[in-house]
Amino acid sequence: EVQLVESGGGLVQPGGSLRLSCGASGFTFGDYWMTWVRQAPGKGLEWVATIKPDGSEEYYVDSVKGRFTISRDNAKRSLFLQLNSLRAEDMTVYYCARFGYYFGIDVWGQGTTVTVSS
Amino acid sequence: QSALTQPPSASGSPGQSVTISCTGTSSDVGGYNSVSWYQQHPGKAPKLMIYEVTKRPSGVPDRFSGSKSGNTASLTVSGLQAEDEADYYCSSHAGTNNVLFGGGTKLTVL
């Protein structure tokens, strides 16, 4: 079964850091562009970051540039998102996801929640 | 970049058809054949319904169809069923491998 499982969410103070992880199974992880998408409670989806299959290129939404870093370990079938300098507006559910088609996300994790509060 | 524009709500009776629009610019929707549509039920992860404007992943009923004209893409759900009631989001490539999502449309089956 094709599956993505996120972990690492939790409560962090404003200005703090957190590292999200995502484990992949059921497909050849290293063949796919991977991405993080977030969704605040009751709000819409927001693309956060994307990484190429070999990890050589990364792309970010403007609001997280310089604060978040996407990375991957193909040998361990894992995707990561390092969140630094966290703000209240970063408090959302973060989904790990796979681009199975041309800008079409066909596999989503269950989401992990980041809470930013003092 | 601003989110793609979707109507906040849409509705239809069982068996009817409903169309949801997604308006962007020539730098996103109009510039690429990369529009996708997602269905999201409460508390669940999104599900891909349409990719590359018109294509359906396996397992998605052919009641769901997509189209595009200029800077506006559309999702049509024909033969509405109760289980189609959900939030729907469009997305598009927005250049330099960036992705834009629409604000979402809540579809109500009356």
Side-chain angles (χ1 to χ4, degrees), chain B residues 2-85:
Chain B
S2 300
L4 305 177
T5 300
Q6 295 181 234
S9 63
S11 63
S13 298
Q16 288 186 332
S17 293
V18 64
T19 297
I20 299 170
S21 63
C22 170
T23 301
T25 70
S26 58
S27 297
D28 38 69
V29 173
Y32 307 93
N33 285 323
S34 65
V35 175
S36 295
W37 289 92
Y38 302 90
Q39 177 191 67
Q40 187 179 35
H41 288 108
K44 301 293 187 181
K47 175 186 176 182
L48 181 66
M49 305 302 284
I50 297 288
Y51 67 97
E52 295 177 27
V53 181
T54 62
K55 299 176 181 178
R56 276 188 311 275
S58 63
V60 173
D62 60 6
R63 302 185 295 103
F64 291 84
S65 62
S67 63
K68 188 182 82 167
S69 177
N71 297 335
T72 297
S74 299
L75 172 72
T76 298
V77 186
S78 305
L80 271 175
Q81 299 181 5
E83 59 262 37
D84 298 334
E85 184 162 295

